[in-house]
Amino acid sequence: MDLNRRTAMAAGLGATTAVVTGAGTARAAGTKAAGPPVITVQGESAARTNIPVVRDRRASGGRLLALLTTERPPEPSGWYATYRVRVPEAGVYALTAVATAPVETPHTEAVASYLRLAVNDGAFTDLDHAQPHWYDSPPAWGDLSVLDLGEVELRGGTDTLTFRVDEKTVLDTTTAYVLTLDRFTLRLRPGHPALRTATVARHRADEPARLRLTLDGRARRPHPVRYTVTDHFGHRVAAGRTTIPEGATGTTVALPKDLPPGHYRVDADGVGGAFARLPVRPAPTGAASRFGVNAWAASLLPPSRLDEFAAAMRDMGAGWVRDGQSWPAVEPTPGGYDTAHHDRATRTLRAHGLAVLDVLSPAPEWAMTEASLPLPADLRHAYRYARRLAAAAPEALQLSNEPDVDTTRSTGDAHAAFVKAAALGIKDAAENPPLVVLPGIAQTGPFQDLMLANDVVRYADAWAFHGYPDPAQPGEPEFPGAADEQHALARRHGADVPLWMTECGAFQTARPGQDLTPAEQAVQARYVVRSMVEGLAAGNARQFWFAAPPLYDDGVWFGLLDRAFDPLPAYSALAALTSLLGAAHFVGPARRLPAGARGLVFDTGRGELVTVVWAPRPVRVRLRGTAYDIMGRRLRGSGPLTASPDPLYVVSRGAGPSPAPESAARTLSDAEHIVLAQRFSARDAAPGKEDGDAPAPYGYRLGRRTRMRVEVYNFSAGARTVTVTAGSPGGGWSVRARAGTRVRVAARGRAGVDFVVAAGSSVPRRVDRRLSFGAVLEDGSGGGSDGGRQVPGSVALVHLK
């Protein structure tokens, strides 16, 4: 499908590029500008291109380059546009463009593909900046922004610039190759070439550390550089000077061999950088790991960065990556699946030894009704979609993200039916299917209570929830009470599945165009350690940090990496934790600590015990063993340690290997393959939740006499006969069947039983009451965890309008 064809007109191949030179005002080509040259090129004036040109009165030239297609790009050129630009002076130029950003920005949700750029006869480079870089782009017009594309070195005379698109992006209902380009501008940078980056490749503490200094162009003469390297605590550990030779773009400097593990900052002539020196001993990784991160790769990671990101997460000790894909983009039409874009991300993560937790997104528009939003009205779509995702073999699938705080008409009972259908699709996908993880709940409350009342836990292999500290609380973030609340709730429901905190993190304030301050970075590093160990101590089987890639949203920073994809101190702190804790089996609280100190003891599974200790104010503690600081650096000397907000580790000899936090996929009976779902008309739909804060009542809004249907889904391989029964609501409510309640349901089919729900004269208005239905399976093998043929019931809330 080519989405361009309705609006495109042919681009003129071989056209001469329009060139404007000047310093802030338009000047005719060839005239001398008063100041550094500024060159503006219209997007539609490509000398060669296979991208259509469209008319738009808002564009600077009345037209612009516009690509929107699902067709594969031609080989070997890709979708491209080549421009010939007359440049009055050789040098380094800042390149900006009025185009659509590859990520959502505050002024638009529209996105484009990531660009690649080649200058003259040079190789293509990826313009793969981090999400915060693009997020800060000022608006231009429509969905277009003023994008900073970096610097390019031009030779002067006639230079060529080629933009190329060969990666799809995820749109609302499809994946496509997208580029909208109004114009681009080149501004000469006086005094350049200048130092652009100071980087050190990720490495372990027993490997060489090499500082790479890179200019934004070739040195016209020997280019001297001064540099300093400081550790996380601000101590200078290296300094020196070097020279980038004439004609070169960079040089490499060896750093001291004895640097301990930790986080380091580089300053080279005002250009900053950061690197992680990882512990010598790698952390356990893969599905047995207790630690994970959130990625959301389609939104936050350029495709060219995915492989390096996966390697960085593995080296940090994250065994799991929580990711997701857009259901509307994967299944734009019923049964028409296109998972290739996301499957590649899953393969890349797994190739680096990472376990993948995929998350189901809201349903496509074609599958929903006004009353079902954001769920499919027909649960067979959920079953088939989840089964398709499970075929890609992620280690686990989570059945939605924070459904309790989305602004929809979905209620706990509707979501429970969706969860059951999707879980059955996953479990029917393979002999050893992915683990089924319940939806990530944002907060305890009526939505989750109702979902649990619908007996969803029996369909799951893990129970999931989220927990963040109060963003309004001053000082150091405090680990939230969500873990204790969820564990108490699980005990009340008799849930015998492990609990996973699939999002934890802290709201760090950030400013446009800037990374976190050193003080904010230190707070983040402390909290990433504390949140992980406190979560495990609360009984969580796994902890997932939100988020790993650079992520800036509405003044808040979440990522473990900065705008240059360099590690923040929290990255190094998490690497130290995963290396030292190993299997991270919680033993109990540390004993005999002074007042104010907190300590938690873990079994590493390597015959060691590790005590993690900290205190809000410095206090002396006596613990036997080898001590390490927050960055994993071994502390020398003997005697008492000083516990502070920066956690310390004390390693001592302990017991033998501890069990890994494995989850076993459950099998489900024939009765559990029957799913009941209560359906009401749109006029009876429950009120929107308004981000979870809507006051009661929460149930379906009924009149004195309301017709409704109980849908009966059979996700078995054969036809089944089911008898549906209505519970007694009490309180003046009554329920009666309009016809027979015994139905025969085809394999993978759906049938319905109609009921009338009546409210007596004594029923008060706007007071919720539970409405429940059950069923008995009359054929099939029975058995399973239900011990018979009783179908898991459906429980909803209703109230009189």
Side-chain angles (χ1 to χ4, degrees):
M1 177 177 63
D2 188 341
L3 306 181
N4 279 305
R5 288 176 179 164
R6 289 178 295 177
T7 58
M9 67 180 192
L13 302 186
T16 301
T17 300
V19 178
V20 177
T21 64
T25 58
R27 294 177 180 269
T31 62
K32 188 174 181 180
V38 178
I39 307 167
T40 298
V41 181
Q42 300 301 324
E44 68 272 17
S45 63
R48 300 185 305 277
T49 186
N50 56 11
I51 298 175
V53 172
V54 301
R55 295 186 183 277
D56 195 312
R57 289 179 296 177
R58 298 171 295 177
S60 60
R63 299 186 300 168
L64 70 161
L65 210 62
L67 173 70
L68 177 58
T69 184
T70 59
E71 291 187 1
R72 292 180 59 85
E75 296 290 349
S77 66
W79 300 111
Y80 79 97
T82 297
Y83 298 86
R84 291 196 296 265
V85 183
R86 283 181 297 212
V87 179
E89 183 178 340
V92 175
Y93 286 75
L95 174 61
T96 60
V98 173
T100 305
V103 304
E104 292 183 8
T105 65
H107 59 274
T108 179
E109 295 180 357
V111 297
S113 299
Y114 284 90
L115 285 170
R116 307 186 73 205
L117 173 66
V119 177
N120 295 321
D121 55 356
F124 278 94
T125 59
D126 293 291
L127 303 181
D128 52 2
H129 302 292
Q131 179 264 358
H133 176 92
W134 305 113
Y135 185 88
D136 289 334
S137 302
W141 57 267
D143 292 327
L144 277 62
S145 306
V146 181
L147 306 182
D148 176 5
L149 302 184
E151 284 80 31
V152 294
E153 185 178 25
L154 302 179
R155 62 195 177 196
T158 299
D159 287 82
T160 62
L161 283 81
T162 300
F163 296 99
R164 189 163 85 180
V165 170
D166 47 24
E167 291 282 358
K168 288 184 175 181
T169 191
V170 179
L171 304 179
D172 288 341
T173 59
T174 190
T175 56
Y177 303 93
V178 183
L179 170 63
T180 304
L181 177 61
D182 180 6
R183 63 187 184 274
F184 64 89
T185 300
L186 295 156
R187 291 177 172 83
L188 181 66
R189 299 291 303 274
H192 286 242
L195 198 65
R196 181 173 59 188
T197 59
T199 59
V200 177
R202 192 178 59 259
H203 61 282
R204 298 203 174 272
D206 58 350
E207 299 171 348
R210 297 185 176 91
L211 171 62
R212 178 67 182 173
L213 301 165
T214 306
L215 300 173
D216 54 18
R218 291 177 176 80
R220 299 177 181 178
R221 61 186 65 85
H223 190 106
V225 180
R226 293 176 179 267
Y227 65 88
T228 59
V229 180
T230 55
D231 66 14
H232 174 62
F233 306 99
H235 304 132
R236 180 183 291 189
V237 298
R241 61 179 63 189
T242 188
T243 300
I244 298 174
E246 181 179 350
T249 58
T251 190
T252 300
V253 178
L255 296 179
K257 298 179 180 179
D258 58 350
L259 292 179
H263 179 266
Y264 294 88
R265 297 185 181 92
V266 179
D267 182 271
D269 290 346
V271 173
F275 66 94
R277 191 160 165 87
L278 297 165
V280 173
R281 180 162 58 183
T285 192
S289 170
R290 291 186 182 273
F291 305 107
V293 293
N294 284 264
W296 307 117
S299 299
L300 300 179
L301 286 171
S304 58
R305 297 268 188 179
L306 182 60
D307 189 74
E308 167 60 17
F309 170 81
M313 294 303 104
R314 174 204 61 209
D315 290 347
M316 185 188 68
W320 287 80
V321 173
R322 181 172 179 252
D323 200 22
Q325 58 186 312
S326 166
W327 184 354
V330 167
E331 193 181 6
T333 57
Y337 298 104
D338 180 9
T339 61
H341 187 83
H342 185 73
D343 288 348
R344 185 175 64 174
T346 299
R347 287 194 302 270
T348 301
L349 295 170
R350 297 191 72 199
H352 286 277
L354 298 167
V356 175
L357 170 60
D358 255 345
V359 183
L360 269 68
S361 81
E365 186 174 347
W366 57 259
M368 295 186 292
T369 63
E370 182 183 355
S372 75
L373 179 76
L375 305 175
D378 186 337
L379 297 181
R380 290 173 293 184
H381 294 308
Y383 175 90
R384 289 189 287 262
Y385 177 63
R387 186 167 183 169
R388 176 61 182 250
L389 295 188
E395 279 66 24
L397 275 161
Q398 188 167 19
L399 303 182
S400 73
N401 179 63
E402 298 189 349
D404 53 322
V405 293
D406 58 19
T407 306
T408 71
R409 296 183 181 274
S410 170
T411 57
D413 64 291
H415 209 84
F418 165 80
V419 166
K420 294 173 184 178
L424 287 165
I426 294 166
K427 291 182 179 295
D428 290 350
E431 184 176 348
N432 296 305
L435 300 176
V436 172
V437 182
L438 288 177
I441 293 296
Q443 57 199 29
T444 56
F447 184 95
Q448 187 184 19
D449 290 341
L450 189 56
M451 193 179 73
L452 294 171
N454 279 266
D455 210 4
V456 294
V457 178
R458 68 165 72 195
Y459 288 83
D461 305 306
W463 172 309
F465 66 98
H466 299 163
Y468 291 89
D470 182 355
Q473 182 180 359
E476 297 282 332
E478 291 294 332
F479 189 68
D484 290 338
E485 294 169 357
Q486 291 288 331
H487 280 272
L489 192 59
R491 287 192 294 270
R492 288 202 301 273
H493 283 266
D496 61 349
V497 294
L499 272 68
W500 295 11
M501 184 179 265
T502 52
E503 284 187 24
C504 68
F507 298 92
Q508 296 293 118
T509 302
R511 290 145 296 281
Q514 300 179 37
D515 285 315
L516 299 176
T517 66
E520 290 167 335
Q521 293 178 23
V523 169
Q524 186 193 43
R526 290 192 286 266
Y527 186 71
V528 76
V529 174
R530 288 179 39 230
S531 66
M532 291 292 176
V533 297
E534 292 195 71
L536 297 182
N540 299 338
R542 290 186 173 87
Q543 289 284 124
F544 289 75
W545 179 263
F546 187 89
L551 173 56
Y552 171 70
D553 182 37
D554 195 22
V556 179
W557 185 277
F558 292 103
L560 296 174
L561 307 176
D562 69 14
R563 292 167 180 266
F565 286 96
D566 288 340
L568 291 168
Y571 175 95
S572 297
L574 193 48
L577 178 144
T578 59
S579 173
L580 289 165
L581 261 60
H585 175 69
F586 180 61
V587 175
R591 298 179 179 180
R592 296 185 293 276
L593 291 178
R598 176 91 189 274
L600 301 171
V601 182
F602 293 86
D603 181 348
T604 67
R606 301 182 293 234
E608 300 168 328
L609 294 177
V610 178
T611 301
V612 187
V613 61
W614 68 93
R617 298 178 185 83
V619 60
R620 304 286 273 177
V621 298
R622 293 185 179 272
L623 292 169
R624 290 187 176 183
T626 305
Y628 298 83
D629 69 14
I630 186 175
M631 291 293 147
R633 178 183 61 178
R634 182 174 178 177
L635 301 178
R636 304 295 179 180
S638 59
L641 299 167
T642 300
S644 73
D646 284 343
L648 299 175
Y649 303 90
V650 180
V651 181
S652 60
R653 298 186 65 177
S658 57
E662 292 299 329
S663 299
R666 300 182 169 200
T667 57
L668 297 172
S669 68
D670 285 348
E672 288 166 324
H673 274 71
I674 306 298
V675 176
L676 306 181
Q678 299 185 41
R679 298 301 190 201
F680 295 83
S681 66
R683 67 176 178 272
D684 302 320
K689 295 192 300 300
E690 298 179 9
D691 292 326
D693 296 326
Y698 299 98
Y700 297 101
R701 299 168 293 186
L702 309 186
R704 290 287 178 185
R705 179 182 173 85
T706 304
R707 293 183 178 183
M708 56 84 64
R709 169 169 288 197
V710 175
E711 291 183 341
V712 183
Y713 291 87
N714 171 24
F715 293 110
S716 302
R720 295 288 182 263
T721 301
V722 175
T723 299
V724 179
T725 58
S728 176
W733 289 90
S734 63
V735 185
R736 66 173 180 82
R738 297 181 60 205
T741 59
R742 185 174 183 267
V743 294
R744 182 75 170 170
V745 191
R748 311 281 195 263
R750 176 180 64 172
V753 179
D754 295 324
F755 289 88
V756 174
V757 181
S761 59
S762 63
V763 172
R765 295 185 182 275
R766 296 181 59 79
V767 176
D768 283 328
R769 193 83 181 180
R770 286 198 171 192
L771 178 64
S772 62
F773 293 88
V776 175
L777 177 65
E778 297 186 10
D779 47 20
S781 61
S785 60
D786 62 351
R789 301 179 187 275
Q790 189 67 42
V791 172
S794 171
V795 181
L797 294 176
V798 297
H799 64 265
L800 186 62
K801 294 180 185 177

